Amino acid sequence: DDASIDGFDAQFASDAKVFRDGDKWVMFYFGVGKGGAHIMVAFSKDLIRWARNPMPLYAAGGNPSGLDKHYAHKISLVVRDGTWHMFYCAVGNSGRGIGLITGQSL
């Protein structure tokens, strides 16, 4: 799947992490475009053909505190007691920090 010329990953995509989720593979990566770095996702059944979601899984600026106003990128994913914990590098007006998103499934 080609990135769009004006998408959330139009400038570049980097730092892919691939995980198995049931009968599919999930790739998280960060895309740069539309004014920031965003957490993106793509899916595959065979690790060769990927279907990328053109919308971010999590867009920079999503944290109401401003923690990630400019960038949300470079994830690390851990599952504990059935809950997924996605840690990410955040850059906002106050500098750098670590953000956390949790969920019950990928």
Side-chain angles (χ1 to χ4, degrees):
D1 186 5
D2 294 329
S4 66
I5 59 170
D6 63 349
F8 288 91
D9 54 4
Q11 291 177 307
F12 71 87
S14 184
D15 204 36
K17 307 280 191 300
V18 178
F19 300 90
R20 183 84 169 156
D21 183 29
D23 66 343
K24 68 182 174 296
W25 295 92
V26 182
M27 177 192 301
F28 298 101
Y29 65 97
F30 77 88
V32 175
K34 294 200 181 220
H38 316 279
I39 300 170
M40 307 295 290
V41 64
F43 302 94
S44 176
K45 291 207 177 249
D46 61 10
L47 292 173
I48 297 170
R49 291 175 292 276
W50 291 89
R52 146 193 164 283
N53 187 335
M55 298 303 295
L57 177 70
Y58 184 82
N63 189 305
S65 74
L67 175 72
D68 54 24
K69 183 175 182 178
H70 304 293
Y71 304 117
H73 64 309
K74 299 179 183 172
I75 68 109
S76 179
L77 193 62
V78 176
V79 64
R80 181 175 180 213
D81 298 327
T83 299
W84 291 90
H85 298 77
M86 180 182 284
F87 298 90
Y88 66 94
C89 296
V91 180
N93 289 339
S94 298
R96 297 181 181 276
I98 301 294
L100 172 62
I101 303 166
T102 60
Q104 297 302 309
S105 67
L106 288 177

